[in-house]
Amino acid sequence: GNSVTQMEGPVTLSEEAFLTINCTYTATGYPSLFWYVQYPGEGLQLLLKATKADDKGSNKGFEATYRKETTSFHLEKGSVQVSDSAVYFCALMPGGGADGLTFGKGTHLIIQP
Amino acid sequence: SAVISQKPSRDICQRGTSLTIQCQVDSQVTMMFWYRQQPGQSLTLIATANQGSEATYESGFVIDKFPISRPNLTFSTLTVSNMSPEDSSIYLCSVDARATDTQYFGPGTRLTVL
């Protein structure tokens, strides 16, 4: 079956530090890959996505590249801010788009001033 | 994207009762999904709801416990039946925005069962 593995948190960084949150997946075929973010007290928001190998998704300074050879979709940001503190979820949707999402366990990111 | 609303936003219920959660979308969508997020955990897909057909349930979820209705292309309900404290979770609906293969989520319903 499909599965997503992401690094467990909490991850604590200082403001302006470089961020990497690792995500690897197992899936048949060619899934689409997503990062969702859940800010404190808010709902789940789409952060970025990539639908095929070597695609790079980007939004709000965050980036992730779909690496088929390593089955990975690591989230990166060059300089984090306190406002980036949230829980980040990596997810996949099987190829074809007719199925629900499979989520990783989430990574709680804490940015300190 | 789509604007999605859910009712109620939160509720506290007694063991053995049932709660129906509503999900409303501002545009017609083919597929709607229901997820559960247990405290401190990730999201787990409960079922997929297509208009005009029976919902498709994931392993570990059954229709008797989580009946779903999908009467039209903008609305769905999820009922949590015969509740126990283990059903305390956030329940979220999502929609697959047309032609983008991307799911957008409602704000969730926070359920506490005593």
Side-chain angles (χ1 to χ4, degrees), chain A residues 32 34 36 38 42-46 49 51 89 93 96-106, chain B residues 31 33 35 37 40-45 48 58 90 92 94 96 100-107:
Chain A
S32 295
F34 304 83
Y36 284 85
Q38 192 171 39
E42 298 187 15
L44 202 64
Q45 301 176 23
L46 176 68
K49 71 173 187 178
T51 58
F89 293 94
M93 179 188 296
D99 296 316
L101 292 162
T102 298
F103 282 86
K105 292 187 176 182
Chain B
M31 307 186 72
F33 304 87
Y35 292 82
Q37 186 178 21
Q41 302 297 314
S42 186
L43 285 80
T44 302
L45 179 66
T48 302
E58 297 298 301
I90 299 173
L92 301 101
S94 75
D96 191 344
T100 64
D101 288 342
T102 300
Q103 289 188 26
Y104 295 91
F105 284 80

Side-chain angles (χ1 to χ4, degrees), chain A residues 27-105:
Chain A
T28 55
Y30 302 95
S32 295
L33 301 174
F34 304 83
W35 279 100
Y36 284 85
V37 59
Q38 192 171 39
Y39 297 103
E42 298 187 15
L44 202 64
Q45 301 176 23
L46 176 68
L47 181 59
L48 53 84
K49 71 173 187 178
T51 58
K52 60 182 186 296
D54 300 325
D55 267 2
K56 178 185 285 188
S58 62
N59 187 24
K60 298 181 179 181
F62 291 89
E63 293 182 341
T65 301
Y66 190 145
R67 301 288 188 197
K68 186 173 183 295
E69 64 276 14
T70 54
T71 61
S72 65
F73 193 54
H74 304 322
L75 183 68
E76 297 181 336
K77 186 174 185 181
S79 177
V80 292
Q81 306 300 312
V82 172
S83 57
D84 294 325
S85 298
V87 181
Y88 292 81
F89 293 94
C90 185
L92 71 82
M93 179 188 296
D99 296 316
L101 292 162
T102 298
F103 282 86
K105 292 187 176 182

